Amino acid sequence: MSPKITTELLKQLRQVMKSPKYVQEPVQAYIVPSGDAHQSEYIAPCDCRRAFISGFDGSAGTAIVTEQHAAMWTDGRYFLQAAQQMDNNWTLMKMGLKDTPTQEDWLVSVLPEGSKVGVDPFIIPADQWKRMSKALRSAGHDLVPVKENLIDTIWTDCPQRPCKPLITLDLSYTGVSWREKIVALRSKMAERRVLWFVVTALDEVAWLFNLRGSDVEYNPVFFAYAVIGMNTIRLFIDGDRMMEPDVREHLQLDSTLEPEFKIQVMPYGSILSELQAVGASLSPKEKVWLSDKASYAVTEAIPKAYRYLTPYTPICIAKAVKNASETEGMRRAHIKDAVALCELFNWLEKEVPKGTVTEIIAADKAEQFRSQQKDFVELSFATISSTGPNGAIIHYKPVPETNRTLSVSEIYLLDSGAQYKDGTTDVTRTMHFGTPSAYEKECFTYVLKGHIAVSAAIFPNGTKGHLLDSFARSALWDSGLDYLHGTGHGVGSFLNVHEGPCGISYKTFADEPLEAGMIVSDEPGYYEDGSFGIRIENVVLVIPAETKYNFKNRGSLTFEPLTLVPIQTKMIDVNLLTQKECNWVNDYHQKCREVIGAELERQGRHEALQWLIRETEPLVRAQWHRRGLWCVEHQDLSVSQESVFLGLDATGRIGLQ
């Protein structure tokens, strides 16, 4: 992977940082965050400014350019990728490591006295602005809004902002109408005594109106804002897509409605002027509710005295707790996804030994099998198809320059997912098409033990996901190993594959408590730089748990796997598993057989069905018997859950004990 040569681009940026045409006063540093005006994680090509200036195109990172330096902050998922994609003009700042300075501390250390630090006010969240501005001000510097994005001034071939057609979702997918969602939102507004609510996150706008789009690749969202009053609804959106008959009917734009449900459609670019008008009309004590992660520009449009800011909006929380229709849709989506992956892995087992399958071919084949399933829309993220050393690049995406051929001598990691109209999937499986080494099996089994520890966990209502993160790491920690990413993220329902406000990660303590109906991923891993990567990921549903006791009547929760794809038993060192863990794997594989087997049969995919049956054979675990004989404990999936003990005596004879 060749790094992008950025010398000329940085020279041009430094020139416009001083140009009176673009800045009122010269800025000595310019911040380039990775998001868009809606603080999205995954963004449209026209918003990939940080990738343009640096070459690093991972989903998370912040670039800062001064007159003398250029630095990039990113997390452990992207250390290797960023190092490969950036040239030597850039310094990589590895977030989460002890010696890595914060952006504020670094700026204070390199800037001359009384410097101005510029940033596009639409791209930086209000909470980050507040924190950074305070730190810089205390050191004698100023954070200043730069109205025109300076990257855009030097990006001569910047793509146009997408404005693609919308998809309407009926009640069979959403379970609740958009009008009912507006009523519920206004009820929350009344509880907090606020008159207005500003919706800035793209997935929140899509969820609220039961609409989907394709303005951002892999994420079924569209560029829009919404402002909800107690008696008004304003939707800020561009293009003629609002003229489509199905959209007009869905939103009842041509119907005679009660005034409080009449949607006013306004230009996307008029959001600031409209918010300023709202702010000017407010009486003392009247409030406007915004997320504290809304952009600084949008937040500043409302005078400070009238703002009501919260880390998570009521839409964000309601969206995370799936209703019965959404949950059922997610189950259907994961069954279809498992069918596609059974087809893929059966195909790979036959083709990989021929030496003709590359990472890109395997990724394309996965998409081909998924696209054959009902209600398939697109992938949910760029497929991570990685073999051997590429697997150690946590968010690797194969490109022609890095495209390795799969072989029988390397571990293959596939992290992939899809958007179906009834749900979003995200699954990782790590496979070996030859004979894995003892060390590879050992590492895989530690990761599996962590995966099981989270999936089988029972925890009290009110528990936050970050408290479960160490469950996934314990087996790795026991052997001095670890991984540099979170263990799980929320998953949307035909929405963003990464969704707040819940997750399982050591990186945040601001996550909301897990509750029944939330859907998260469970994906511990281990990565050996230059050798291999291992990750096992299921999407799981939070469900109530039955327990012997009920402390203070607070109830308990656990997880139910929605992903039903076999975990390769060839990679497991069974002797490192407890009997309880063995039983978990066998029970999980039994469910894969029953549920996915039936669907493979229904779809007439008989060869993939035979692969599934082979891959879900029960684990057999050897034990040292109390009479000094080796025992093999076997769980028969097809007959019963009883154990059969086989003793191996000193002569090598096997006898039933």
Side-chain angles (χ1 to χ4, degrees), residues 590-638:
Q590 175 71 358
K591 188 169 184 183
C592 291
R593 253 193 206 190
E594 291 172 355
V595 177
I596 308 308
E599 185 62 18
L600 286 165
E601 184 76 47
R602 191 186 71 78
Q603 293 190 23
R605 299 175 184 270
H606 301 298
E607 198 175 320
L609 174 59
Q610 291 309 307
W611 177 88
L612 173 70
I613 291 169
R614 289 195 305 273
E615 290 295 311
T616 53
E617 283 296 310
L619 291 178
V620 177
R621 181 171 167 272
Q623 287 187 336
W624 183 251
H625 194 269
R626 63 182 177 277
R627 282 185 270 173
L629 301 176
W630 281 104
C631 300
V632 177
E633 191 162 346
H634 170 72
Q635 192 178 34
D636 187 338
L637 293 180
S638 59

